[in-house]
Amino acid sequence: MSIPPGSTIGIVGGGQLGRMLAMAAAQLGYRCHVYAPDPGCVAAEVAADFTEGAFDDEGALTRFAAEIDVATYEFENIAAGPLAALAELVPLYPPVDALRVSQDRLEEKNFIARYGGRPAPFAEVNDRAGLDAALAEIGTPAILKTRRFGYDGKGQIRIDAREEAEAAWDAVRGAPSVLEGFVRFDAEFSILLCRNAEDQVRIWAAPRNRHDGGILVESSVPAGADLAAAIAEGEALARRVADALDHVGVMAMEFFAAGGACLFNEMAPRVHNSGHWTIEGARTSQFENHIRAICGLPLGATDLTTPRVEMRNLVGAEADGWAEILADPAAHLHLYGKTDARPGRKMGHVTRLLD
Ligand code: AMP
């Protein structure tokens, strides 16, 4: 059953992903109603309606459900319970199961391994003694990551020697975690896939990604012939996982390419920073195809519009250089309307279409 243009799409979450989803939805004639705890959020600025509410407030989510025709979410650090309650009242995509899997790093790795994915070596850590045992098993260097609520490098700490275990355990505040072996990767890339309820699947060219301090700096497409085999493996895995979850909407999977191998890092049941280049660089953007998928519309083509595309994030004060960026005819500037340019905060991005 399709949800026709003119209907109202509920977006849970108020960040830049919600903002760009709302802008894509508006182009197709939909109204968006944003639900978030912060009335000053950047998604609400470009949406028709806004409801202020905590992500775990089932009463407020129930009232929100009465005002929308379909719901989606734009980040995964939301308790699955209240969202499952919302899904009882209104169609919600991607399915809550996709959220459940991706919001727990341990569950995610075990799930991916069942479908043939290869995560970096990892061990579960539940207490201080468990961290010593995990370090003995995995070795150093390693990265301790909280199972839940991590993003942009938050909730993770590198351990170079066993003596650093105490400090690392303090840094994650004793939260249930996983210890991952440090991967000496040749490159990082991501697979961006969109699937609709009719099993139609579209995949964009995989971007090669560069991170600094856990934050995405740059995505470039095409990723390069050296990554072709790893990308093919990643694409096949993403298709299997999307089918298994009966996924509807965009799904992103991040990988390390290391010595020809394709190692799974993490997945997100949503539009993704490494897919922002698709707004100008692909025939249909990740945001538009996500809206099409959740509304039951046919998906658009994902071919490149130009031979090469580069997307750079504007982090913190980098966004102050907007005038210079605008002077470059190849550049498409996106600013998210955030007022407080804190260090490490994603303020915007710039996409360059290249020959
Ligand atoms: P994550 O939040 O887990 O995606 O981590 C953010 C970034 O930190 C990754 O994209 C990598 O650049 C780096 N990183 C995370 N885990 C590892 C690892 N096990 N080995 C090497 N680098 C890592």
mmCIF file of all heavy atoms in Angstrom, residues 193-239:
data_model
loop_
_atom_site.group_PDB
_atom_site.id
_atom_site.type_symbol
_atom_site.label_atom_id
_atom_site.label_comp_id
_atom_site.label_asym_id
_atom_site.label_seq_id
_atom_site.Cartn_x
_atom_site.Cartn_y
_atom_site.Cartn_z
ATOM 1 N N LEU A 193 22.587 1.185 0.786
ATOM 2 C CA LEU A 193 21.584 0.370 0.089
ATOM 3 C C LEU A 193 20.204 0.905 0.435
ATOM 4 O O LEU A 193 19.993 1.392 1.543
ATOM 5 C CB LEU A 193 21.750 -1.073 0.578
ATOM 6 C CG LEU A 193 20.750 -2.150 0.225
ATOM 7 C CD1 LEU A 193 21.453 -3.511 0.215
ATOM 8 C CD2 LEU A 193 19.593 -2.201 1.230
ATOM 9 N N CYS A 194 19.290 0.838 -0.518
ATOM 10 C CA CYS A 194 17.895 1.166 -0.189
ATOM 11 C C CYS A 194 17.012 0.027 -0.680
ATOM 12 O O CYS A 194 17.213 -0.500 -1.779
ATOM 13 C CB CYS A 194 17.471 2.484 -0.848
ATOM 14 S SG CYS A 194 15.850 3.044 -0.268
ATOM 15 N N ARG A 195 16.057 -0.359 0.165
ATOM 16 C CA ARG A 195 15.161 -1.463 -0.186
ATOM 17 C C ARG A 195 13.734 -1.007 0.098
ATOM 18 O O ARG A 195 13.499 -0.296 1.074
ATOM 19 C CB ARG A 195 15.517 -2.678 0.681
ATOM 20 C CG ARG A 195 14.713 -3.935 0.394
ATOM 21 C CD ARG A 195 15.228 -5.061 1.296
ATOM 22 N NE ARG A 195 14.536 -6.312 1.038
ATOM 23 C CZ ARG A 195 13.366 -6.639 1.552
ATOM 24 N NH1 ARG A 195 12.724 -5.819 2.368
ATOM 25 N NH2 ARG A 195 12.806 -7.809 1.265
ATOM 26 N N ASN A 196 12.788 -1.394 -0.760
ATOM 27 C CA ASN A 196 11.395 -1.104 -0.451
ATOM 28 C C ASN A 196 10.639 -2.402 -0.159
ATOM 29 O O ASN A 196 11.211 -3.505 -0.267
ATOM 30 C CB ASN A 196 10.722 -0.237 -1.530
ATOM 31 C CG ASN A 196 10.520 -0.964 -2.851
ATOM 32 O OD1 ASN A 196 10.674 -2.186 -2.929
ATOM 33 N ND2 ASN A 196 10.167 -0.222 -3.881
ATOM 34 N N ALA A 197 9.376 -2.275 0.216
ATOM 35 C CA ALA A 197 8.609 -3.449 0.667
ATOM 36 C C ALA A 197 8.321 -4.415 -0.469
ATOM 37 O O ALA A 197 7.911 -5.556 -0.242
ATOM 38 C CB ALA A 197 7.314 -3.001 1.338
ATOM 39 N N GLU A 198 8.529 -3.980 -1.729
ATOM 40 C CA GLU A 198 8.358 -4.880 -2.880
ATOM 41 C C GLU A 198 9.667 -5.592 -3.214
ATOM 42 O O GLU A 198 9.831 -6.109 -4.327
ATOM 43 C CB GLU A 198 7.874 -4.104 -4.116
ATOM 44 C CG GLU A 198 6.377 -3.842 -4.143
ATOM 45 C CD GLU A 198 5.977 -2.755 -3.160
ATOM 46 O OE1 GLU A 198 6.608 -1.685 -3.190
ATOM 47 O OE2 GLU A 198 5.057 -2.988 -2.353
ATOM 48 N N ASP A 199 10.630 -5.576 -2.304
ATOM 49 C CA ASP A 199 11.936 -6.237 -2.484
ATOM 50 C C ASP A 199 12.802 -5.571 -3.543
ATOM 51 O O ASP A 199 13.766 -6.157 -4.019
ATOM 52 C CB ASP A 199 11.792 -7.720 -2.890
ATOM 53 C CG ASP A 199 11.120 -8.551 -1.821
ATOM 54 O OD1 ASP A 199 11.013 -8.063 -0.691
ATOM 55 O OD2 ASP A 199 10.708 -9.679 -2.134
ATOM 56 N N GLN A 200 12.441 -4.376 -3.946
ATOM 57 C CA GLN A 200 13.288 -3.655 -4.899
ATOM 58 C C GLN A 200 14.503 -3.129 -4.114
ATOM 59 O O GLN A 200 14.332 -2.584 -3.014
ATOM 60 C CB GLN A 200 12.473 -2.480 -5.462
ATOM 61 C CG GLN A 200 12.939 -1.981 -6.786
ATOM 62 C CD GLN A 200 12.177 -0.726 -7.223
ATOM 63 O OE1 GLN A 200 11.401 -0.130 -6.470
ATOM 64 N NE2 GLN A 200 12.410 -0.319 -8.450
ATOM 65 N N VAL A 201 15.701 -3.331 -4.660
ATOM 66 C CA VAL A 201 16.914 -2.895 -3.960
ATOM 67 C C VAL A 201 17.738 -2.008 -4.884
ATOM 68 O O VAL A 201 17.917 -2.314 -6.063
ATOM 69 C CB VAL A 201 17.761 -4.110 -3.515
ATOM 70 C CG1 VAL A 201 19.102 -3.658 -2.942
ATOM 71 C CG2 VAL A 201 17.008 -4.944 -2.489
ATOM 72 N N ARG A 202 18.214 -0.908 -4.366
ATOM 73 C CA ARG A 202 19.124 -0.027 -5.107
ATOM 74 C C ARG A 202 20.378 0.175 -4.253
ATOM 75 O O ARG A 202 20.270 0.393 -3.050
ATOM 76 C CB ARG A 202 18.493 1.345 -5.342
ATOM 77 C CG ARG A 202 17.334 1.326 -6.314
ATOM 78 C CD ARG A 202 17.858 1.437 -7.743
ATOM 79 N NE ARG A 202 16.756 1.541 -8.674
ATOM 80 C CZ ARG A 202 16.131 0.507 -9.236
ATOM 81 N NH1 ARG A 202 16.508 -0.720 -8.940
ATOM 82 N NH2 ARG A 202 15.144 0.692 -10.087
ATOM 83 N N ILE A 203 21.536 0.123 -4.915
ATOM 84 C CA ILE A 203 22.796 0.338 -4.209
ATOM 85 C C ILE A 203 23.552 1.462 -4.915
ATOM 86 O O ILE A 203 23.589 1.497 -6.138
ATOM 87 C CB ILE A 203 23.643 -0.955 -4.179
ATOM 88 C CG1 ILE A 203 22.905 -2.026 -3.363
ATOM 89 C CG2 ILE A 203 25.030 -0.707 -3.604
ATOM 90 C CD1 ILE A 203 23.716 -3.275 -3.067
ATOM 91 N N TRP A 204 24.099 2.373 -4.124
ATOM 92 C CA TRP A 204 24.909 3.447 -4.703
ATOM 93 C C TRP A 204 26.356 2.971 -4.824
ATOM 94 O O TRP A 204 26.761 2.002 -4.163
ATOM 95 C CB TRP A 204 24.867 4.693 -3.810
ATOM 96 C CG TRP A 204 23.581 5.445 -3.857
ATOM 97 C CD1 TRP A 204 23.297 6.515 -4.658
ATOM 98 C CD2 TRP A 204 22.401 5.214 -3.070
ATOM 99 N NE1 TRP A 204 22.006 6.953 -4.417
ATOM 100 C CE2 TRP A 204 21.448 6.173 -3.446
ATOM 101 C CE3 TRP A 204 22.045 4.294 -2.084
ATOM 102 C CZ2 TRP A 204 20.176 6.247 -2.873
ATOM 103 C CZ3 TRP A 204 20.788 4.353 -1.512
ATOM 104 C CH2 TRP A 204 19.862 5.318 -1.917
ATOM 105 N N ALA A 205 27.143 3.664 -5.646
ATOM 106 C CA ALA A 205 28.584 3.382 -5.688
ATOM 107 C C ALA A 205 29.125 3.542 -4.269
ATOM 108 O O ALA A 205 28.757 4.483 -3.565
ATOM 109 C CB ALA A 205 29.265 4.371 -6.632
ATOM 110 N N ALA A 206 29.990 2.603 -3.863
ATOM 111 C CA ALA A 206 30.491 2.638 -2.484
ATOM 112 C C ALA A 206 31.516 3.759 -2.325
ATOM 113 O O ALA A 206 32.475 3.826 -3.100
ATOM 114 C CB ALA A 206 31.134 1.305 -2.138
ATOM 115 N N PRO A 207 31.338 4.641 -1.353
ATOM 116 C CA PRO A 207 32.358 5.663 -1.117
ATOM 117 C C PRO A 207 33.538 5.130 -0.310
ATOM 118 O O PRO A 207 33.387 4.261 0.544
ATOM 119 C CB PRO A 207 31.604 6.728 -0.309
ATOM 120 C CG PRO A 207 30.494 5.998 0.359
ATOM 121 C CD PRO A 207 30.144 4.825 -0.520
ATOM 122 N N ARG A 208 34.725 5.655 -0.625
ATOM 123 C CA ARG A 208 35.919 5.437 0.217
ATOM 124 C C ARG A 208 35.880 6.536 1.281
ATOM 125 O O ARG A 208 35.725 7.720 0.946
ATOM 126 C CB ARG A 208 37.176 5.579 -0.649
ATOM 127 C CG ARG A 208 38.487 5.359 0.101
ATOM 128 C CD ARG A 208 39.669 5.663 -0.815
ATOM 129 N NE ARG A 208 39.890 4.629 -1.784
ATOM 130 C CZ ARG A 208 40.920 3.763 -1.789
ATOM 131 N NH1 ARG A 208 41.843 3.831 -0.862
ATOM 132 N NH2 ARG A 208 41.049 2.858 -2.726
ATOM 133 N N ASN A 209 35.979 6.158 2.516
ATOM 134 C CA ASN A 209 35.796 7.113 3.611
ATOM 135 C C ASN A 209 37.076 7.309 4.409
ATOM 136 O O ASN A 209 37.832 6.365 4.616
ATOM 137 C CB ASN A 209 34.711 6.611 4.578
ATOM 138 C CG ASN A 209 33.380 6.389 3.884
ATOM 139 O OD1 ASN A 209 33.010 7.164 2.997
ATOM 140 N ND2 ASN A 209 32.664 5.345 4.263
ATOM 141 N N ARG A 210 37.276 8.531 4.856
ATOM 142 C CA ARG A 210 38.413 8.824 5.742
ATOM 143 C C ARG A 210 37.877 9.430 7.037
ATOM 144 O O ARG A 210 37.041 10.344 6.997
ATOM 145 C CB ARG A 210 39.353 9.810 5.040
ATOM 146 C CG ARG A 210 40.730 9.870 5.651
ATOM 147 C CD ARG A 210 41.717 10.499 4.672
ATOM 148 N NE ARG A 210 41.294 11.823 4.229
ATOM 149 C CZ ARG A 210 41.419 12.926 4.959
ATOM 150 N NH1 ARG A 210 41.927 12.895 6.159
ATOM 151 N NH2 ARG A 210 41.019 14.097 4.466
ATOM 152 N N HIS A 211 38.332 8.871 8.154
ATOM 153 C CA HIS A 211 37.894 9.355 9.467
ATOM 154 C C HIS A 211 39.068 9.982 10.198
ATOM 155 O O HIS A 211 40.209 9.629 9.973
ATOM 156 C CB HIS A 211 37.368 8.196 10.334
ATOM 157 C CG HIS A 211 36.094 7.599 9.851
ATOM 158 N ND1 HIS A 211 36.051 6.667 8.840
ATOM 159 C CD2 HIS A 211 34.808 7.779 10.246
ATOM 160 C CE1 HIS A 211 34.796 6.319 8.624
ATOM 161 N NE2 HIS A 211 34.022 6.971 9.473
ATOM 162 N N ASP A 212 38.757 10.878 11.106
ATOM 163 C CA ASP A 212 39.778 11.425 11.999
ATOM 164 C C ASP A 212 39.157 11.511 13.387
ATOM 165 O O ASP A 212 38.094 12.127 13.549
ATOM 166 C CB ASP A 212 40.193 12.826 11.500
ATOM 167 C CG ASP A 212 41.360 13.369 12.300
ATOM 168 O OD1 ASP A 212 41.962 12.611 13.091
ATOM 169 O OD2 ASP A 212 41.669 14.568 12.149
ATOM 170 N N GLY A 213 39.790 10.850 14.343
ATOM 171 C CA GLY A 213 39.251 10.862 15.697
ATOM 172 C C GLY A 213 37.850 10.275 15.766
ATOM 173 O O GLY A 213 37.033 10.714 16.574
ATOM 174 N N GLY A 214 37.561 9.306 14.892
ATOM 175 C CA GLY A 214 36.254 8.657 14.908
ATOM 176 C C GLY A 214 35.186 9.406 14.115
ATOM 177 O O GLY A 214 34.085 8.907 13.934
ATOM 178 N N ILE A 215 35.521 10.609 13.623
ATOM 179 C CA ILE A 215 34.526 11.400 12.868
ATOM 180 C C ILE A 215 34.843 11.327 11.381
ATOM 181 O O ILE A 215 36.006 11.458 10.976
ATOM 182 C CB ILE A 215 34.552 12.879 13.320
ATOM 183 C CG1 ILE A 215 34.215 12.970 14.815
ATOM 184 C CG2 ILE A 215 33.583 13.725 12.510
ATOM 185 C CD1 ILE A 215 34.266 14.389 15.355
ATOM 186 N N LEU A 216 33.819 11.139 10.565
ATOM 187 C CA LEU A 216 34.015 11.095 9.116
ATOM 188 C C LEU A 216 34.517 12.452 8.631
ATOM 189 O O LEU A 216 33.924 13.487 8.934
ATOM 190 C CB LEU A 216 32.691 10.745 8.419
ATOM 191 C CG LEU A 216 32.760 10.632 6.899
ATOM 192 C CD1 LEU A 216 33.596 9.424 6.471
ATOM 193 C CD2 LEU A 216 31.365 10.526 6.295
ATOM 194 N N VAL A 217 35.623 12.420 7.869
ATOM 195 C CA VAL A 217 36.176 13.652 7.307
ATOM 196 C C VAL A 217 35.736 13.796 5.859
ATOM 197 O O VAL A 217 35.279 14.852 5.440
ATOM 198 C CB VAL A 217 37.726 13.631 7.372
ATOM 199 C CG1 VAL A 217 38.316 14.828 6.654
ATOM 200 C CG2 VAL A 217 38.197 13.564 8.810
ATOM 201 N N GLU A 218 35.869 12.685 5.095
ATOM 202 C CA GLU A 218 35.707 12.783 3.650
ATOM 203 C C GLU A 218 35.196 11.467 3.073
ATOM 204 O O GLU A 218 35.606 10.396 3.518
ATOM 205 C CB GLU A 218 37.093 13.082 3.060
ATOM 206 C CG GLU A 218 37.084 13.447 1.610
ATOM 207 C CD GLU A 218 38.477 13.882 1.169
ATOM 208 O OE1 GLU A 218 39.439 13.137 1.407
ATOM 209 O OE2 GLU A 218 38.574 14.959 0.580
ATOM 210 N N SER A 219 34.316 11.559 2.089
ATOM 211 C CA SER A 219 33.889 10.387 1.318
ATOM 212 C C SER A 219 34.161 10.686 -0.147
ATOM 213 O O SER A 219 33.807 11.775 -0.619
ATOM 214 C CB SER A 219 32.382 10.133 1.481
ATOM 215 O OG SER A 219 32.089 9.773 2.801
ATOM 216 N N SER A 220 34.771 9.741 -0.862
ATOM 217 C CA SER A 220 34.980 9.960 -2.284
ATOM 218 C C SER A 220 34.544 8.758 -3.093
ATOM 219 O O SER A 220 34.665 7.610 -2.662
ATOM 220 C CB SER A 220 36.437 10.330 -2.584
ATOM 221 O OG SER A 220 37.310 9.580 -1.800
ATOM 222 N N VAL A 221 34.005 9.081 -4.274
ATOM 223 C CA VAL A 221 33.425 8.087 -5.170
ATOM 224 C C VAL A 221 33.955 8.355 -6.570
ATOM 225 O O VAL A 221 34.030 9.529 -6.957
ATOM 226 C CB VAL A 221 31.882 8.239 -5.174
ATOM 227 C CG1 VAL A 221 31.244 7.327 -6.183
ATOM 228 C CG2 VAL A 221 31.319 7.975 -3.785
ATOM 229 N N PRO A 222 34.351 7.356 -7.350
ATOM 230 C CA PRO A 222 34.388 5.941 -6.983
ATOM 231 C C PRO A 222 35.530 5.638 -6.011
ATOM 232 O O PRO A 222 36.490 6.393 -5.917
ATOM 233 C CB PRO A 222 34.596 5.230 -8.326
ATOM 234 C CG PRO A 222 35.068 6.261 -9.283
ATOM 235 C CD PRO A 222 34.707 7.602 -8.761
ATOM 236 N N ALA A 223 35.395 4.518 -5.323
ATOM 237 C CA ALA A 223 36.337 4.206 -4.250
ATOM 238 C C ALA A 223 37.697 3.776 -4.775
ATOM 239 O O ALA A 223 38.678 3.874 -4.059
ATOM 240 C CB ALA A 223 35.753 3.099 -3.374
ATOM 241 N N GLY A 224 37.761 3.308 -6.021
ATOM 242 C CA GLY A 224 39.050 2.872 -6.579
ATOM 243 C C GLY A 224 39.071 1.378 -6.815
ATOM 244 O O GLY A 224 38.468 0.601 -6.065
ATOM 245 N N ALA A 225 39.807 0.989 -7.882
ATOM 246 C CA ALA A 225 39.819 -0.417 -8.301
ATOM 247 C C ALA A 225 40.405 -1.327 -7.224
ATOM 248 O O ALA A 225 40.042 -2.503 -7.120
ATOM 249 C CB ALA A 225 40.628 -0.553 -9.590
ATOM 250 N N ASP A 226 41.298 -0.799 -6.378
ATOM 251 C CA ASP A 226 41.925 -1.634 -5.341
ATOM 252 C C ASP A 226 40.885 -2.159 -4.343
ATOM 253 O O ASP A 226 41.134 -3.147 -3.660
ATOM 254 C CB ASP A 226 43.023 -0.847 -4.608
ATOM 255 C CG ASP A 226 42.530 0.476 -4.018
ATOM 256 O OD1 ASP A 226 41.688 1.139 -4.671
ATOM 257 O OD2 ASP A 226 42.961 0.825 -2.905
ATOM 258 N N LEU A 227 39.736 -1.518 -4.273
ATOM 259 C CA LEU A 227 38.718 -1.954 -3.298
ATOM 260 C C LEU A 227 37.609 -2.786 -3.937
ATOM 261 O O LEU A 227 36.665 -3.188 -3.258
ATOM 262 C CB LEU A 227 38.092 -0.728 -2.604
ATOM 263 C CG LEU A 227 39.053 0.166 -1.810
ATOM 264 C CD1 LEU A 227 38.273 1.226 -1.039
ATOM 265 C CD2 LEU A 227 39.891 -0.660 -0.835
ATOM 266 N N ALA A 228 37.717 -3.052 -5.255
ATOM 267 C CA ALA A 228 36.590 -3.677 -5.972
ATOM 268 C C ALA A 228 36.152 -5.004 -5.347
ATOM 269 O O ALA A 228 34.953 -5.237 -5.143
ATOM 270 C CB ALA A 228 36.951 -3.871 -7.444
ATOM 271 N N ALA A 229 37.110 -5.870 -5.013
ATOM 272 C CA ALA A 229 36.736 -7.190 -4.480
ATOM 273 C C ALA A 229 36.091 -7.051 -3.106
ATOM 274 O O ALA A 229 35.070 -7.694 -2.809
ATOM 275 C CB ALA A 229 37.974 -8.085 -4.405
ATOM 276 N N ALA A 230 36.677 -6.199 -2.267
ATOM 277 C CA ALA A 230 36.115 -6.000 -0.913
ATOM 278 C C ALA A 230 34.710 -5.402 -1.007
ATOM 279 O O ALA A 230 33.799 -5.795 -0.275
ATOM 280 C CB ALA A 230 37.043 -5.103 -0.096
ATOM 281 N N ILE A 231 34.529 -4.470 -1.937
ATOM 282 C CA ILE A 231 33.219 -3.832 -2.093
ATOM 283 C C ILE A 231 32.180 -4.853 -2.562
ATOM 284 O O ILE A 231 31.041 -4.870 -2.072
ATOM 285 C CB ILE A 231 33.316 -2.622 -3.053
ATOM 286 C CG1 ILE A 231 34.043 -1.473 -2.344
ATOM 287 C CG2 ILE A 231 31.933 -2.175 -3.530
ATOM 288 C CD1 ILE A 231 34.382 -0.292 -3.239
ATOM 289 N N ALA A 232 32.569 -5.722 -3.490
ATOM 290 C CA ALA A 232 31.630 -6.748 -3.973
ATOM 291 C C ALA A 232 31.184 -7.633 -2.806
ATOM 292 O O ALA A 232 29.991 -7.974 -2.681
ATOM 293 C CB ALA A 232 32.280 -7.581 -5.071
ATOM 294 N N GLU A 233 32.120 -7.981 -1.929
ATOM 295 C CA GLU A 233 31.780 -8.808 -0.765
ATOM 296 C C GLU A 233 30.844 -8.046 0.189
ATOM 297 O O GLU A 233 29.865 -8.594 0.691
ATOM 298 C CB GLU A 233 33.080 -9.208 -0.040
ATOM 299 C CG GLU A 233 32.866 -10.193 1.087
ATOM 300 C CD GLU A 233 34.183 -10.597 1.777
ATOM 301 O OE1 GLU A 233 35.249 -10.604 1.115
ATOM 302 O OE2 GLU A 233 34.125 -10.910 2.977
ATOM 303 N N GLY A 234 31.146 -6.760 0.391
ATOM 304 C CA GLY A 234 30.314 -5.934 1.264
ATOM 305 C C GLY A 234 28.895 -5.774 0.722
ATOM 306 O O GLY A 234 27.912 -5.841 1.473
ATOM 307 N N GLU A 235 28.800 -5.583 -0.592
ATOM 308 C CA GLU A 235 27.472 -5.427 -1.216
ATOM 309 C C GLU A 235 26.634 -6.689 -1.043
ATOM 310 O O GLU A 235 25.438 -6.619 -0.724
ATOM 311 C CB GLU A 235 27.628 -5.147 -2.714
ATOM 312 C CG GLU A 235 27.844 -3.698 -3.031
ATOM 313 C CD GLU A 235 27.790 -3.422 -4.535
ATOM 314 O OE1 GLU A 235 27.354 -4.305 -5.310
ATOM 315 O OE2 GLU A 235 28.191 -2.322 -4.917
ATOM 316 N N ALA A 236 27.271 -7.831 -1.263
ATOM 317 C CA ALA A 236 26.534 -9.100 -1.142
ATOM 318 C C ALA A 236 26.035 -9.278 0.296
ATOM 319 O O ALA A 236 24.895 -9.704 0.521
ATOM 320 C CB ALA A 236 27.433 -10.265 -1.560
ATOM 321 N N LEU A 237 26.880 -8.939 1.258
ATOM 322 C CA LEU A 237 26.476 -9.043 2.668
ATOM 323 C C LEU A 237 25.308 -8.090 2.964
ATOM 324 O O LEU A 237 24.318 -8.475 3.603
ATOM 325 C CB LEU A 237 27.673 -8.717 3.579
ATOM 326 C CG LEU A 237 27.367 -8.684 5.067
ATOM 327 C CD1 LEU A 237 26.987 -10.069 5.583
ATOM 328 C CD2 LEU A 237 28.577 -8.153 5.864
ATOM 329 N N ALA A 238 25.425 -6.852 2.494
ATOM 330 C CA ALA A 238 24.369 -5.866 2.750
ATOM 331 C C ALA A 238 23.028 -6.338 2.173
ATOM 332 O O ALA A 238 21.978 -6.193 2.814
ATOM 333 C CB ALA A 238 24.769 -4.514 2.158
ATOM 334 N N ARG A 239 23.063 -6.939 0.989
ATOM 335 C CA ARG A 239 21.820 -7.456 0.384
ATOM 336 C C ARG A 239 21.225 -8.574 1.234
ATOM 337 O O ARG A 239 20.013 -8.596 1.485
ATOM 338 C CB ARG A 239 22.095 -8.017 -1.022
ATOM 339 C CG ARG A 239 22.246 -6.972 -2.079
ATOM 340 C CD ARG A 239 22.523 -7.647 -3.418
ATOM 341 N NE ARG A 239 22.937 -6.693 -4.411
ATOM 342 C CZ ARG A 239 22.097 -5.993 -5.177
ATOM 343 N NH1 ARG A 239 20.803 -6.183 -5.090
ATOM 344 N NH2 ARG A 239 22.558 -5.122 -6.050
#
